[in-house]
Amino acid sequence: MRNSIGFRLNALFVVLVTALLSCSGALAYWSMRSQLLEQYQRDRDSVQQRLQTNLVNPLWNFDTATLQENLAAEVKPPVLGIEVHSEHGERLASAGVREPARRQGARYDHLEFPLRNRGRDEQQVLGRVQVLLSRQAMHDTLNEQVWRRFLEILALDVLLVAALSLSLRLQVLKPLAALRDALHQAAEHRGPPESLVLPGTRLDEFGEVLGGFRRIAQRLAEDLEARRQAESDIRGAYEELQRAQATLIQAEKLAALGGLVAGVAHEINTPLGITLTGASVLAEQTRRFTAQLEAGRLKKSEVEGYLRSAGEGVELILANANRAAHLVHSFKQVAVDQTSEARREFDLARYLDEVVESLRPTYKRLPIQVRNGCPKGIQLDGYPGALAQVVTNLLVNAVTHAFPDGAAGQVRLDARVDGDWLVLCFEDDGQGIAAEHLPHIFEPFFTTKRGVGGSGLGLHVVYNLVTRRLGGQIQVASTAGQGTCFTLRIPRIAPQPPEEAT
């Protein structure tokens, strides 16, 4: 593998040795090249000196045989061929090749110089000599040196890789592999620390590493066992906390329903009392009217008075009875929805009117106005009880937090349809929510009224109902001193809960 230590170390050593040997070979190459060039230049100068010395007399005496012998004696590397021409350009003698074969990469030099008459008239030119020389031998020697050095480097690299690989395998990689296997075994080990099998003891640095690893493995196993026990305890405590939270949430819902019952009971007491009083007065007047009728003492004025009083009493009784019946109907529908959580189709505006009416006792004696601005005709298919619980908790939360100490204000409900979704806004113009509290208002048990009636579950119940039961989303926007707006985005057709969908 390219990422293994052995591969990288081998590659590093090969690169270093190759670089060092290449530099050494390059220095040797340039040194040998300089020496060969100097030798070639000396040979060239020597050939010229010998020819200038040995060819003058045969040329002066027209001794072509001696001239030819002298030329033949000089044809040896690096000389390939020699030609002697008279002063008029006539070729007098030659030896060796005149035109070399066109060899690819071959290198040739041409040397030409005059032959002068020595000892007599040194300015007299007897002829000219043309010498053909080859540097191919020098280049062949250099190429041979390059290939020899290349093969040396290759052989050394192979030997180095083999030796280094064997040494690394025996001294480093094998102990590292054993340590790696031990680490994997320790990571997957589920038994007691004593059952963990580790590599044998070594007397080198790996032995010290293994000793430290044994101690770490034992400590980790002990910590893991302690963590498992702690997780078990935490899991039990968490399950108990969930049960307690579910109980508290249910108690919160029942408490809200209980408050609704108490408020409606108090609210309905007035119309029922008036109805009872009117019925009692009408009954007493009817008895007196009946007694006078039986005694035959009725007067026209008494009949007219009785009819007038009876009509007023009946109107009073009917008005207050209708008032009480309306309160009972609103309370009954909202209470049944909240306790049964049944799914049905309902008109949003009409249902919110019933919810607001049933909650009137909560804010009746406070300078707070609650207005339902939802347009008529929006039909929903879902869980009205969950929606009633959401509105109830939001209104109670607004009365408690947005308008403290009897402050006046207004709460408004608005809704609009966005495709298959309903956007419901619950807005108040109260004191708002502090910026540092906004991220926590939906957390369970978070409240700023702890000790004075706040449980910290109202908005948490709202969040759970909106996101789980109604299948929607809820967002809050608030500025201190400028009110708060809760925006609910819920589907017009509520999704089936998981237990019903299956």
Side-chain angles (χ1 to χ4, degrees):
M1 295 185 299
R2 295 185 178 181
N3 293 327
S4 65
I5 296 177
F7 176 83
R8 287 182 287 178
L9 286 177
N10 283 329
L12 177 62
F13 278 103
V14 167
V15 169
L16 291 177
V17 171
T18 302
L20 290 175
L21 292 178
S22 299
C23 292
S24 174
L27 293 176
Y29 172 84
W30 288 108
S31 176
M32 179 175 289
R33 185 175 183 275
S34 299
Q35 295 175 5
L36 291 175
L37 285 175
E38 291 176 0
Q39 181 64 37
Y40 174 78
Q41 190 64 38
R42 286 196 299 269
D43 292 343
R44 176 175 171 161
D45 294 341
S46 297
V47 168
Q48 181 176 353
Q49 290 176 2
R50 286 196 302 270
L51 292 176
Q52 286 177 339
T53 302
N54 297 332
L55 299 182
V56 171
N57 289 332
L59 187 61
W60 175 262
N61 296 321
F62 297 101
D63 187 359
T64 58
T66 303
L67 184 64
Q68 189 69 35
E69 291 177 357
N70 290 337
L71 292 181
E74 294 295 335
V75 178
K76 56 183 178 182
V79 178
L80 296 179
I82 305 175
E83 290 184 355
V84 177
H85 297 266
S86 66
E87 57 182 334
H88 302 292
E90 180 184 1
R91 187 174 65 181
L92 302 176
S94 65
V97 297
R98 294 177 58 189
E99 292 293 335
R102 294 301 178 184
R103 179 181 172 186
Q104 184 177 4
R107 296 168 174 82
Y108 302 100
D109 286 337
H110 290 84
L111 176 63
E112 185 176 352
F113 54 89
L115 291 175
R116 300 181 184 279
N117 187 6
R118 295 183 178 183
R120 298 175 179 84
D121 185 1
E122 294 185 356
Q123 300 299 322
Q124 183 181 5
V125 177
L126 301 178
R128 301 192 68 81
V129 178
Q130 294 180 350
V131 183
L132 177 64
L133 301 99
S134 173
R135 291 184 294 167
Q136 189 61 41
M138 179 184 67
H139 289 285
D140 290 343
T141 303
L142 289 176
N143 290 336
E144 181 182 358
Q145 175 70 15
V146 170
W147 279 105
R148 183 184 299 112
R149 181 52 59 103
F150 173 75
L151 293 176
E152 290 176 356
I153 293 174
L154 183 62
L156 285 175
D157 285 342
V158 171
L159 292 176
L160 178 63
V161 170
L164 186 59
S165 298
L166 182 60
S167 300
L168 286 174
R169 180 177 178 80
L170 295 177
Q171 300 298 324
V172 178
L173 300 181
K174 188 174 180 180
L176 278 178
L179 183 58
R180 177 201 61 201
D181 296 339
L183 288 171
H184 290 169
Q185 180 188 1
E188 300 174 357
H189 188 64
R190 293 294 182 269
E194 296 78 12
S195 62
L196 185 62
V197 179
L198 298 177
T201 304
R202 295 170 57 100
L203 299 179
D204 53 10
E205 290 82 355
F206 279 104
E208 298 177 359
V209 173
L210 288 173
F213 173 70
R214 285 189 179 88
R215 292 190 294 272
I216 292 175
Q218 183 175 3
R219 175 65 62 82
L220 288 177
E222 295 173 354
D223 292 345
L224 182 60
E225 185 63 27
R227 182 174 298 176
R228 287 176 183 159
Q229 184 63 35
E231 287 180 355
S232 178
D233 297 341
I234 292 173
R235 190 177 297 109
Y238 178 71
E239 292 174 355
E240 185 66 26
L241 179 61
Q242 282 186 320
R243 288 191 293 269
Q245 180 177 342
T247 302
L248 287 174
I249 291 176
Q250 187 64 24
E252 178 77 8
K253 294 171 67 176
L254 293 177
L257 186 58
L260 181 62
V261 171
V264 170
H266 184 274
E267 184 72 10
I268 206 173
N269 185 58
T270 300
L272 286 181
I274 295 174
T275 301
L276 182 60
T277 301
S280 300
V281 171
L282 181 59
E284 179 63 27
Q285 290 179 348
T286 301
R287 281 195 299 271
R288 283 187 293 175
F289 180 80
T290 303
Q292 290 178 352
L293 178 61
E294 292 176 351
R297 297 194 302 263
L298 278 177
K299 297 180 181 179
K300 181 179 180 181
S301 59
E302 292 176 349
V303 173
E304 292 175 352
Y306 171 76
L307 293 176
R308 186 171 51 254
S309 298
E312 293 174 355
V314 168
E315 290 179 359
L316 182 63
I317 292 172
L318 287 176
N320 285 276
N322 287 331
R323 171 65 177 162
H326 179 69
L327 288 173
V328 170
H329 175 75
S330 298
F331 165 73
K332 179 182 177 182
Q333 186 62 64
V334 174
V336 168
D337 286 336
Q338 291 192 22
T339 54
S340 67
E341 297 185 351
R343 181 185 186 123
R344 64 183 177 87
E345 294 186 3
F346 60 97
D347 181 270
L348 177 65
R350 186 181 304 115
Y351 188 73
L352 289 181
D353 284 338
E354 294 177 352
V355 174
V356 171
E357 183 66 23
S358 64
L359 294 173
R360 187 177 299 278
T362 305
Y363 60 88
K364 177 181 178 180
R365 292 176 175 79
L366 298 174
I368 298 175
Q369 294 181 352
V370 181
R371 297 182 179 179
N372 179 19
C374 297
K376 298 183 181 300
I378 299 178
Q379 293 292 323
L380 300 182
D381 181 2
Y383 302 93
L387 183 60
Q389 184 70 44
V390 168
V391 175
T392 299
N393 286 15
L394 290 177
L395 182 57
V396 171
N397 186 77
V399 171
T400 305
H401 298 278
F403 308 106
D405 302 326
Q410 180 175 324
V411 176
R412 181 174 177 84
L413 286 163
D414 289 300
R416 61 182 175 86
V417 175
D418 184 10
D420 295 333
W421 294 81
L422 171 73
V423 180
L424 179 62
C425 297
F426 183 97
E427 186 176 6
D428 66 68
D429 58 357
Q431 65 177 4
I433 303 174
E436 62 271 17
H437 295 158
L438 275 176
H440 309 287
I441 60 173
F442 295 122
E443 296 177 0
F445 308 111
F446 176 81
T447 179
T448 58
K449 297 289 187 179
R450 193 173 306 280
V452 291
S455 65
L457 290 174
L459 291 181
H460 179 63
V461 171
V462 168
Y463 181 83
N464 285 337
L465 289 174
V466 172
T467 58
R468 297 181 183 177
R469 193 64 174 173
L470 300 178
Q473 303 170 353
I474 182 170
Q475 296 178 341
V476 59
S478 181
T479 303
Q482 299 182 15
T484 303
C485 179
F486 290 90
T487 303
L488 286 66
R489 182 179 174 84
I490 59 177
R492 297 177 63 187
I493 300 178
Q496 293 289 344
E499 61 274 9
E500 295 181 13
T502 57

